[in-house]
Amino acid sequence: MTQPAPLRIGLTGGIGSGKSTVATALAALGASIVDTDAIARSLTQPGGAAIAAIAAQFGAEFVDASGALDRSRMRELAFADPAARQRLEAILHPLIRAETARQAEAARGTAIVFDVPLLIESGRWREQVDRVLVVDCREATQVERVMARSGWTREAVQAVLAQQASRRSRRAGADAVIYNDGLSHEELRAEVRALWEGWCASV
């Protein structure tokens, strides 16, 4: 008997929304997670597949002493110069797509969750997934969470938020929204479980 195709879930949310916590909860329920942010990081680690192209495009000063992308230097350039960000994306995006496809092909189980920070912004993911799950919270909560975990300044966090889709546009593109503001970890996991059970029952 042919196994049904796994449910393809696109998971997204702004920085500091709690998206990674939701992904962890989904993995605990049996989902296969394809984390595009983790893929991007692996491409820019020492010896990563994107490092040579980044050095050639931007200069050796954008590669740190360990051989990894100098993230803080690149972040400053990308926020100051949209053309530089597009050049970086032209290097990374084809590599990310190829590795995303490879991991999805290898995934097993009832559902594959594609954890994509810029899912709404990309415009191409909607047709590639069966459901879109957005993790949402107040912008003030996002700022406080990122400052606490990363040590960034308020201005740095707000600069990232300004580059991301608005909360309204994310929610408008969602099949389901988890409002992760004021929830305990246990309450958040319960919401994820209820949504998971409902979606998997419909497959």
Side-chain angles (χ1 to χ4, degrees), residues 59-76:
E61 65 271 22
F62 283 88
V63 179
D64 67 20
S66 74
L69 173 68
D70 186 329
R71 294 184 181 281
S72 60
R73 185 187 289 264
M74 183 60 78
R75 189 181 302 117
E76 288 177 13

PDB file of all heavy atoms in Angstrom, residues 59-76:
ATOM      1  N   GLY A  59      35.125  40.288  -0.620  1.00  0.00           N
ATOM      2  CA  GLY A  59      36.471  40.529  -0.113  1.00  0.00           C
ATOM      3  C   GLY A  59      36.784  39.641   1.079  1.00  0.00           C
ATOM      4  O   GLY A  59      35.878  39.230   1.825  1.00  0.00           O
ATOM      5  N   ALA A  60      38.078  39.373   1.271  1.00  0.00           N
ATOM      6  CA  ALA A  60      38.513  38.466   2.336  1.00  0.00           C
ATOM      7  C   ALA A  60      38.165  38.983   3.724  1.00  0.00           C
ATOM      8  O   ALA A  60      38.058  38.204   4.675  1.00  0.00           O
ATOM      9  CB  ALA A  60      40.022  38.229   2.233  1.00  0.00           C
ATOM     10  N   GLU A  61      37.965  40.301   3.862  1.00  0.00           N
ATOM     11  CA  GLU A  61      37.654  40.856   5.191  1.00  0.00           C
ATOM     12  C   GLU A  61      36.279  40.425   5.699  1.00  0.00           C
ATOM     13  O   GLU A  61      35.971  40.584   6.885  1.00  0.00           O
ATOM     14  CB  GLU A  61      37.742  42.386   5.170  1.00  0.00           C
ATOM     15  CG  GLU A  61      36.718  43.099   4.294  1.00  0.00           C
ATOM     16  CD  GLU A  61      37.178  43.292   2.847  1.00  0.00           C
ATOM     17  OE1 GLU A  61      38.063  42.534   2.403  1.00  0.00           O
ATOM     18  OE2 GLU A  61      36.634  44.196   2.180  1.00  0.00           O
ATOM     19  N   PHE A  62      35.463  39.842   4.824  1.00  0.00           N
ATOM     20  CA  PHE A  62      34.151  39.359   5.266  1.00  0.00           C
ATOM     21  C   PHE A  62      34.201  37.901   5.724  1.00  0.00           C
ATOM     22  O   PHE A  62      33.165  37.330   6.066  1.00  0.00           O
ATOM     23  CB  PHE A  62      33.113  39.539   4.156  1.00  0.00           C
ATOM     24  CG  PHE A  62      32.656  40.965   4.036  1.00  0.00           C
ATOM     25  CD1 PHE A  62      33.335  41.870   3.228  1.00  0.00           C
ATOM     26  CD2 PHE A  62      31.570  41.429   4.764  1.00  0.00           C
ATOM     27  CE1 PHE A  62      32.934  43.191   3.137  1.00  0.00           C
ATOM     28  CE2 PHE A  62      31.158  42.744   4.685  1.00  0.00           C
ATOM     29  CZ  PHE A  62      31.849  43.643   3.873  1.00  0.00           C
ATOM     30  N   VAL A  63      35.402  37.327   5.747  1.00  0.00           N
ATOM     31  CA  VAL A  63      35.625  35.991   6.294  1.00  0.00           C
ATOM     32  C   VAL A  63      36.521  36.150   7.518  1.00  0.00           C
ATOM     33  O   VAL A  63      37.589  36.764   7.433  1.00  0.00           O
ATOM     34  CB  VAL A  63      36.282  35.059   5.267  1.00  0.00           C
ATOM     35  CG1 VAL A  63      36.525  33.675   5.864  1.00  0.00           C
ATOM     36  CG2 VAL A  63      35.407  34.954   4.020  1.00  0.00           C
ATOM     37  N   ASP A  64      36.078  35.634   8.678  1.00  0.00           N
ATOM     38  CA  ASP A  64      36.840  35.856   9.905  1.00  0.00           C
ATOM     39  C   ASP A  64      38.020  34.889  10.015  1.00  0.00           C
ATOM     40  O   ASP A  64      38.270  34.073   9.113  1.00  0.00           O
ATOM     41  CB  ASP A  64      35.928  35.783  11.138  1.00  0.00           C
ATOM     42  CG  ASP A  64      35.355  34.393  11.400  1.00  0.00           C
ATOM     43  OD1 ASP A  64      35.918  33.388  10.893  1.00  0.00           O
ATOM     44  OD2 ASP A  64      34.340  34.302  12.128  1.00  0.00           O
ATOM     45  N   ALA A  65      38.763  35.005  11.118  1.00  0.00           N
ATOM     46  CA  ALA A  65      40.001  34.233  11.284  1.00  0.00           C
ATOM     47  C   ALA A  65      39.754  32.721  11.299  1.00  0.00           C
ATOM     48  O   ALA A  65      40.648  31.941  10.965  1.00  0.00           O
ATOM     49  CB  ALA A  65      40.699  34.659  12.570  1.00  0.00           C
ATOM     50  N   SER A  66      38.532  32.314  11.659  1.00  0.00           N
ATOM     51  CA  SER A  66      38.220  30.877  11.697  1.00  0.00           C
ATOM     52  C   SER A  66      37.853  30.328  10.326  1.00  0.00           C
ATOM     53  O   SER A  66      37.727  29.113  10.144  1.00  0.00           O
ATOM     54  CB  SER A  66      37.072  30.614  12.677  1.00  0.00           C
ATOM     55  OG  SER A  66      35.829  31.041  12.121  1.00  0.00           O
ATOM     56  N   GLY A  67      37.640  31.233   9.357  1.00  0.00           N
ATOM     57  CA  GLY A  67      37.209  30.803   8.034  1.00  0.00           C
ATOM     58  C   GLY A  67      35.710  30.855   7.829  1.00  0.00           C
ATOM     59  O   GLY A  67      35.206  30.401   6.801  1.00  0.00           O
ATOM     60  N   ALA A  68      34.988  31.423   8.790  1.00  0.00           N
ATOM     61  CA  ALA A  68      33.529  31.569   8.699  1.00  0.00           C
ATOM     62  C   ALA A  68      33.167  32.978   8.239  1.00  0.00           C
ATOM     63  O   ALA A  68      33.991  33.901   8.294  1.00  0.00           O
ATOM     64  CB  ALA A  68      32.879  31.286  10.051  1.00  0.00           C
ATOM     65  N   LEU A  69      31.932  33.144   7.799  1.00  0.00           N
ATOM     66  CA  LEU A  69      31.419  34.474   7.479  1.00  0.00           C
ATOM     67  C   LEU A  69      31.502  35.362   8.719  1.00  0.00           C
ATOM     68  O   LEU A  69      31.111  34.951   9.820  1.00  0.00           O
ATOM     69  CB  LEU A  69      29.966  34.361   7.019  1.00  0.00           C
ATOM     70  CG  LEU A  69      29.215  35.683   6.805  1.00  0.00           C
ATOM     71  CD1 LEU A  69      29.790  36.445   5.611  1.00  0.00           C
ATOM     72  CD2 LEU A  69      27.721  35.404   6.591  1.00  0.00           C
ATOM     73  N   ASP A  70      31.994  36.580   8.545  1.00  0.00           N
ATOM     74  CA  ASP A  70      31.973  37.582   9.620  1.00  0.00           C
ATOM     75  C   ASP A  70      30.556  38.155   9.655  1.00  0.00           C
ATOM     76  O   ASP A  70      30.218  39.064   8.893  1.00  0.00           O
ATOM     77  CB  ASP A  70      33.005  38.669   9.348  1.00  0.00           C
ATOM     78  CG  ASP A  70      33.139  39.658  10.494  1.00  0.00           C
ATOM     79  OD1 ASP A  70      32.131  39.904  11.185  1.00  0.00           O
ATOM     80  OD2 ASP A  70      34.246  40.193  10.700  1.00  0.00           O
ATOM     81  N   ARG A  71      29.749  37.593  10.513  1.00  0.00           N
ATOM     82  CA  ARG A  71      28.315  37.902  10.499  1.00  0.00           C
ATOM     83  C   ARG A  71      28.017  39.354  10.844  1.00  0.00           C
ATOM     84  O   ARG A  71      27.152  39.981  10.234  1.00  0.00           O
ATOM     85  CB  ARG A  71      27.560  36.969  11.451  1.00  0.00           C
ATOM     86  CG  ARG A  71      27.604  35.529  11.001  1.00  0.00           C
ATOM     87  CD  ARG A  71      26.770  34.606  11.906  1.00  0.00           C
ATOM     88  NE  ARG A  71      26.880  33.264  11.416  1.00  0.00           N
ATOM     89  CZ  ARG A  71      26.195  32.786  10.372  1.00  0.00           C
ATOM     90  NH1 ARG A  71      25.346  33.572   9.737  1.00  0.00           N
ATOM     91  NH2 ARG A  71      26.358  31.544   9.968  1.00  0.00           N
ATOM     92  N   SER A  72      28.688  39.881  11.840  1.00  0.00           N
ATOM     93  CA  SER A  72      28.391  41.258  12.247  1.00  0.00           C
ATOM     94  C   SER A  72      28.766  42.240  11.138  1.00  0.00           C
ATOM     95  O   SER A  72      28.016  43.180  10.842  1.00  0.00           O
ATOM     96  CB  SER A  72      29.103  41.606  13.553  1.00  0.00           C
ATOM     97  OG  SER A  72      30.506  41.473  13.408  1.00  0.00           O
ATOM     98  N   ARG A  73      29.906  42.014  10.480  1.00  0.00           N
ATOM     99  CA  ARG A  73      30.319  42.894   9.385  1.00  0.00           C
ATOM    100  C   ARG A  73      29.334  42.788   8.221  1.00  0.00           C
ATOM    101  O   ARG A  73      28.936  43.801   7.628  1.00  0.00           O
ATOM    102  CB  ARG A  73      31.726  42.519   8.923  1.00  0.00           C
ATOM    103  CG  ARG A  73      32.299  43.458   7.850  1.00  0.00           C
ATOM    104  CD  ARG A  73      33.616  42.915   7.314  1.00  0.00           C
ATOM    105  NE  ARG A  73      34.693  43.017   8.269  1.00  0.00           N
ATOM    106  CZ  ARG A  73      35.578  44.015   8.311  1.00  0.00           C
ATOM    107  NH1 ARG A  73      35.502  44.989   7.431  1.00  0.00           N
ATOM    108  NH2 ARG A  73      36.544  44.021   9.211  1.00  0.00           N
ATOM    109  N   MET A  74      28.939  41.558   7.889  1.00  0.00           N
ATOM    110  CA  MET A  74      28.003  41.379   6.788  1.00  0.00           C
ATOM    111  C   MET A  74      26.629  41.949   7.126  1.00  0.00           C
ATOM    112  O   MET A  74      25.957  42.531   6.262  1.00  0.00           O
ATOM    113  CB  MET A  74      27.891  39.898   6.414  1.00  0.00           C
ATOM    114  CG  MET A  74      26.981  39.624   5.218  1.00  0.00           C
ATOM    115  SD  MET A  74      27.527  40.449   3.695  1.00  0.00           S
ATOM    116  CE  MET A  74      28.853  39.341   3.195  1.00  0.00           C
ATOM    117  N   ARG A  75      26.206  41.798   8.382  1.00  0.00           N
ATOM    118  CA  ARG A  75      24.905  42.340   8.795  1.00  0.00           C
ATOM    119  C   ARG A  75      24.880  43.856   8.607  1.00  0.00           C
ATOM    120  O   ARG A  75      23.915  44.423   8.086  1.00  0.00           O
ATOM    121  CB  ARG A  75      24.620  41.973  10.246  1.00  0.00           C
ATOM    122  CG  ARG A  75      23.200  42.304  10.705  1.00  0.00           C
ATOM    123  CD  ARG A  75      22.975  41.947  12.157  1.00  0.00           C
ATOM    124  NE  ARG A  75      23.222  40.541  12.417  1.00  0.00           N
ATOM    125  CZ  ARG A  75      24.172  40.080  13.223  1.00  0.00           C
ATOM    126  NH1 ARG A  75      24.979  40.906  13.855  1.00  0.00           N
ATOM    127  NH2 ARG A  75      24.330  38.795  13.402  1.00  0.00           N
ATOM    128  N   GLU A  76      25.957  44.522   9.029  1.00  0.00           N
ATOM    129  CA  GLU A  76      26.025  45.978   8.882  1.00  0.00           C
ATOM    130  C   GLU A  76      25.954  46.384   7.411  1.00  0.00           C
ATOM    131  O   GLU A  76      25.235  47.310   7.046  1.00  0.00           O
ATOM    132  CB  GLU A  76      27.322  46.501   9.500  1.00  0.00           C
ATOM    133  CG  GLU A  76      27.354  46.457  11.014  1.00  0.00           C
ATOM    134  CD  GLU A  76      28.691  46.923  11.572  1.00  0.00           C
ATOM    135  OE1 GLU A  76      29.487  47.505  10.791  1.00  0.00           O
ATOM    136  OE2 GLU A  76      28.942  46.706  12.768  1.00  0.00           O
TER     137      GLU A  76
END
